[in-house]
Amino acid sequence: MIVEQCIDGVAPDSVVSPASGREISDVLQQLREDAAWVLPTGGSTALTTGNAVGRVPVQMDLTGLAGILEYEPADLTVSVRAGTRWSELIATLSANGQTIPIDVPFPEKATVGGVVATGWAGPRRMRDGTIKDLLIGASYVRGDGLIAKAGGMVVKNVSGFEIPRLLHGSYGSLAMITSVNLKVIPSHESELTLLSERVLFREAVDDVVRLTRSEATVAAAVVDGSGDDAEIAIRLSGRARPIRELEDRIRLEHGQLQLSNSLEEADSAQWWQRRSDTLATAHDDRVMIEVGSTPSSIGNLLKRLRERLYGADDAKYDVSPGTGSVTLALPAAALDHASWQQVWEQAGLSGGARYVVFHAPRAWRSGSQVWSIPEDQRSIMGALKHQFDPEHRLNRGRLWDSLPSTSPTDLETMESIT
Amino acid sequence: MDRDAFLAELKTICGDRGVLHQAADLLVYEYDGSVDGAVDTERPLAAVLPTSTEQVSAVVRLAYRYGAPVVARGAGTGLSGGAVARGGGVIIALTRMDRTLRVDPVNRTALVEPGVINLELSQSVGPQGMFFAPDPSSQKACTIGGNVAENSGGPHCLKYGVTTNHILGLEVVLPDGTVTWIDAHGPGVGGLDLVAILVGSEGMLGIVTKILVRLMPSPESVHVHLAAFGTMDDAAVCVTNVIGAGILPASLEMMDQLTIKAVEPAYHAGYPMDAAAVLLVEVDGTGAEVDEMSAQIERIAGESGATSFRSAQSAAEQELLWKGRKMALAAMGRLAPNYYLHDTVVPRTRLTETLRAVNDISQEFRLDIANVFHAGDGNLHPLMLFDRRKSGDVERILEASHELIKTCVSMGGTLSGEHGIGSEKQGYMELIYTGEDLAAMAGIKLAFDPRERMNPEKVLPKGYMCGEVRALHNQAMAQKHGIHPM
C-alpha cells in the first residue's frame, strides 16, 4: 500500500507496512544497494526530531504491529506490540485501575514503540520517572535483520545485557522494536492541578525549585514563561485525602506562588495533555530546543539564556524546575543554528548543561547536528551501531552523521571476508 | 608473558603496597560470595588496589599490552562468580577508591567512587534527609561500584526501583584504557544511552571509577507491619491481594517457617515461632498516606487469613523487625553449616504455585530449603541448606538447583533478579534466550571489548563468546553479499 505522506518534507520513495518481525527482517535483508535504507515510523508525531535527511528510500510503517500481547493486571505488567497506539494501551490499563504515568503528546496517534524509541518523558519525570524505568523487556529486529529479544515479563531481571534500555531513546538507529514489556502502576485515586496568576518569571522559577525541594510528593511542577511573565502549574496526584492535605500545605507555605486557581480530576489531566500536545507541535517558523541542567542551576541558566536571546520577543520558555530542564520555543527567523550555538557558548553553559534540538524547520537543521553527542563517546556508539546495523540500513543520518566508519571489529570482519 | 616484568610494571603504577601477587595474599581473591561447586574458584595472576582513575586506566592499558584479562572487584560479596578471574587475569580491586566526592542536597545527588559502601552512603546523607534506595542484603559490605556492575536490588526496590533507576552518570575506563564520562539519558542528552547498557553489565564492558547517584528524599512517615500466616499459600495470596489492590508498599518481604526458626532464637525479632510464614511490610510517604495504606493492608491481611498482625510502635521496634529479615542469612548457620542462596524471579501471580514447587523439590531431593525473599517483586531466594563435609551433599544441591531454575523459568520467570549471571548461571542462559538473543548480547560485548579483555568468559554461554559470534556474523554478511570466505 502506498501512503501519500511526507517525512520531514521528503516524500519517501516507497512505503512498506510489515505485520511481523519476520517481515521486517525480510525487508532489511533484501536491501542490497548501498543507498538503500529504511526510516521506521510509528504515529509520525516526532518526525521533525533529528538531523535532516536528504532522501527516504523506504518508509517502514510499523502501525500494523498493533495489539496487547499479554496483560495480567495482578502482575502489574503488560506486553504490547510496538505499533499499538498509546491511547489504546492506556485505555486497556485504565479499565483495570492501572496506568503508565507519562503525558504522551497526541496519544491517539503516537505508538508505544515510538514513545520508547524517542524516549519521550514529560514533567512527571520528576516524581514518577520515565518509561525507561518501566521497561522490562523488548523484542526487536536489528538493522542486519537479526530477530531477537531481551528481558522478560518479570519486574526484576539481571539476566544478560540490558538491551531494551539501550534501545530506549535510540531513535530506531540500532533496531526496530516490535514489542515491549512494561511495568505498570496503579492509577492514582485522585488528581488536581493548582494554577497561578500571572507572576514574575525569574522569581517563579526559583520559587518552584524551592517547592519541589521541600515537597517531594508533588507529581509535576512547571513554569511557562514569555517575556517577564509566567504562569505556574503544580500537579498533585495520589490518594485523595493526602493530596488535599498537600494542597493546603502548599497554599499556606508557598503563598508567593499565587496559586489561586485549581482544576480537578479529568480537567486537570486534560490541562496537562493539552500542554504536552502544544509542546510537541511542530511549527514551521519555530525552533524547539530542550535544555537539561539541574534544579539548582536552572534559574541562572535561564537568566543567561534570556539575556542573550533578548530581542527574540516571542520566545517561550516551558520550564520544569524540579528536573532542571526547559524547552525553548524560539522564532526560527530570529537566529540560525550557528547563532544558537554562539548563544550557547557565550552563555557559558557547555559545561554542566546539555541540549537537543527536537524540532526545527528543515532548512534550520540542514547541514548541522541537532544532537550534542560528546566526541569521546562517538567511537563506542559507532561500534554499537556497527554491531546492530553494520550497513547503516536504519534511520541513516538521522541520529548519526559521520560515525567512525570502521571499528576494530570492522577491520577484522573485512580481513576475514576477503 | 613475562610475569615478572608485568608485575614490576604494575608496581610502578600502583606502588608496592598496591600489588598483591603472593599465593597467600591472593587466596581471598580466588573467591567471591558464590558457592564453591556452583562456581569454580581460580587464582588470579595478581590483584591490584588502585587509588585513582588514572591508575585504573594505566593498569587496563598495561594488561591490554600484555594480553592479560582484567576483572573489576568491589567487596567480593557477589553471589554469581562475577568477580572470579577466569584465565588467570588481574583483579582490579576498587576498595581503596572509597571517597564520597560530593553530596548535593538541592539536586539530591552524590558523586562517589566505586568503593564506597552502600549502607555508608545512606548513613552519611541521612542527616540531610536523603537515602540511596538500592539496599541489597549485603549492604553493610557491598560497594556502589559492585551495585552498578550487578544492577543490584534489595527490599526497597519494590517501590523505588533497582540500581539502574538511580544512576545519573558514570566515569568509565573502557577496555582500551580510555576514560570517559557518560550521562544517562535525561533532558538535553542525545545519542545512545550508554549508562543504560553499562549498569548490570557485570564488569564486561568497562570499569566504573566514578558514579553520580540519585538520592531519594527521606519519607515523612514510615510504618512497619508484621503479618503472620498459618500456611505459605495464605501469605502468598496476601502478597497478590496487596499488589492487586493498587497498594505499592516500600517493601514486602516473606519469610517461611524454617527461616523464622533460624532467625527468632538468634535475634528475637518478635516473629511468631508457630507461624508457617510471616510478611514484613513497610509503607512510607506522607503521614496521611501511610495511615491509609496501613489500614488497608491490615484489612487485606485479615481477609487473606493472617493469624496475627502487628505494627511496630517505635523506630526501635521497626529496626528489630527488620533486623530479623536482614540477618536471616547469617542466622542460617544455626540450621546447617552451608547454604546455597538462589535468586530467581517469577510473575507475582505465580508465587503460590512456585512456592509449592519449591516445596516439592525440597521433598524430592531430601533437602531443607528456607525461603526468605522479596515477595512483592516475585523475587525468590530459596536457600538450600547442606553440609559440605557430607559426601554427595554438594552434588545433590546442584541437581536440585537445576530443577529449581527450570521450574521458575517454566512459570514465566527468569534466571536472576539481582545476583547476576556471572559464571554461576551461564549454562542456563539458553533456557530463556534463543541463539539470536544471545548473539545480539555478544554483539554488545564485541562493540565494547572485541578482544575480550574485561571479565572474559562470563554471562554468555559457551558458543556465544566474541570470536564465535564474530565468525557467524562474518558468515552471514558474506552470504548476503555473495562473497565466499576463503
Side-chain angles (χ1 to χ4, degrees), chain B residues 46-325:
Chain B
V48 297
L49 296 143
T51 53
S52 68
T53 302
E54 292 70 30
Q55 288 185 2
V56 174
S57 168
V59 169
V60 169
R61 282 177 203 272
L62 182 72
Y64 195 88
R65 190 150 57 76
Y66 276 86
V70 295
V71 178
R73 180 185 172 102
T77 54
L79 293 161
S80 56
V84 176
R86 286 263 169 273
V90 177
I91 298 258
I92 301 182
L94 296 153
T95 41
R96 288 189 187 167
M97 292 176 66
D98 62 351
R99 292 174 302 165
T100 296
L101 302 170
R102 191 175 68 227
V103 174
D104 180 343
V106 178
N107 298 316
R108 295 193 196 112
T109 60
L111 182 68
V112 300
E113 290 186 328
V116 168
I117 290 171
N118 175 298
L119 184 62
E120 289 179 5
L121 175 61
S122 279
Q123 285 172 338
S124 72
V125 300
Q128 296 176 75
M130 302 182 289
F131 68 104
F132 181 57
D135 57 344
S137 293
S138 55
Q139 70 175 149
K140 280 185 181 168
C142 69
T143 62
I144 308 282
N147 297 163
V148 169
E150 301 297 317
N151 192 14
S152 302
H156 288 83
C157 292
L158 175 59
K159 177 173 176 181
Y160 293 100
V162 291
T163 300
T164 192
N165 302 129
H166 301 276
I167 304 301
L168 301 172
L170 296 171
E171 182 186 79
V172 188
V173 177
L174 294 168
D176 64 358
T178 308
V179 179
T180 183
W181 176 267
I182 299 167
D183 287 308
H185 264 188
V189 179
L192 298 178
D193 193 339
L194 299 179
V195 168
I197 198 74
L198 278 159
V199 177
S201 64
E202 304 200 19
M204 292 172 70
L205 307 180
I207 297 178
V208 167
T209 46
K210 287 190 184 76
I211 305 153
L212 184 66
V213 301
R214 181 205 315 274
L215 299 171
M216 301 305 295
S218 304
E220 184 184 303
S221 178
V222 177
H223 286 187
V224 178
H225 311 287
L226 186 80
F229 295 85
T231 68
M232 285 282 277
D233 277 10
D234 286 350
V237 165
C238 183
V239 171
T240 307
N241 290 346
V242 168
I243 300 290
I247 303 167
L248 191 59
S251 54
L252 180 44
E253 302 284 301
M254 195 194 289
M255 283 163 276
D256 68 0
Q257 192 166 42
L258 203 51
T259 308
I260 297 167
K261 269 188 189 164
V263 166
E264 190 53 29
Y267 300 107
H268 311 291
Y271 304 164
M273 285 292 283
D274 58 348
V278 292
L279 288 180
L280 186 63
V281 194
E282 181 175 305
V283 288
D284 69 12
T286 62
E289 261 178 314
V290 169
D291 288 345
E292 274 189 26
M293 277 191 283
S294 295
Q296 252 183 309
I297 289 168
E298 182 168 5
R299 182 175 51 74
I300 292 171
E303 288 165 2
S304 309
T307 51
S308 70
F309 188 91
R310 185 158 74 85
S311 302
Q313 299 300 315
S314 65
E317 201 182 339
Q318 288 185 355
E319 207 172 305
L320 189 61
L321 284 178
W322 266 113
K323 189 175 180 185
R325 166 63 184 91

Side-chain angles (χ1 to χ4, degrees), chain A residues 206-253:
Chain A
D206 291 342
D207 289 343
V208 172
V209 168
R210 270 192 291 279
L211 168 75
T212 64
R213 300 303 93 179
S214 65
E215 296 293 352
T217 51
V218 167
V222 296
V223 178
D224 295 334
S226 182
D228 291 327
D229 298 330
E231 284 170 6
I232 299 167
I234 309 293
R235 189 175 192 174
L236 312 179
S237 64
R239 289 164 180 267
R241 190 163 66 91
I243 69 168
R244 292 298 160 186
E245 287 182 11
L246 181 58
E247 178 192 2
D248 292 345
R249 200 159 63 217
I250 290 172
R251 289 191 188 287
L252 188 71
E253 293 173 14

Side-chain angles (χ1 to χ4, degrees), chain A residues 86-149:
Chain A
W86 187 260
S87 55
E88 187 194 331
L89 172 64
I90 295 300
T92 305
L93 300 178
S94 298
N96 290 281
Q98 297 176 347
T99 193
I100 294 175
I102 299 169
D103 297 304
V104 170
F106 310 111
E108 290 79 20
K109 284 182 76 184
T111 60
V112 176
V115 173
V116 175
T118 58
W120 175 264
R124 277 194 280 178
R125 168 204 295 271
M126 180 175 75
R127 188 190 70 179
D128 297 333
T130 72
I131 201 164
K132 185 174 75 165
D133 299 319
L134 302 173
L135 192 57
I136 54 174
S139 296
Y140 58 93
V141 182
R142 291 200 313 197
D144 62 0
L146 185 96
I147 301 170
K149 66 172 185 310

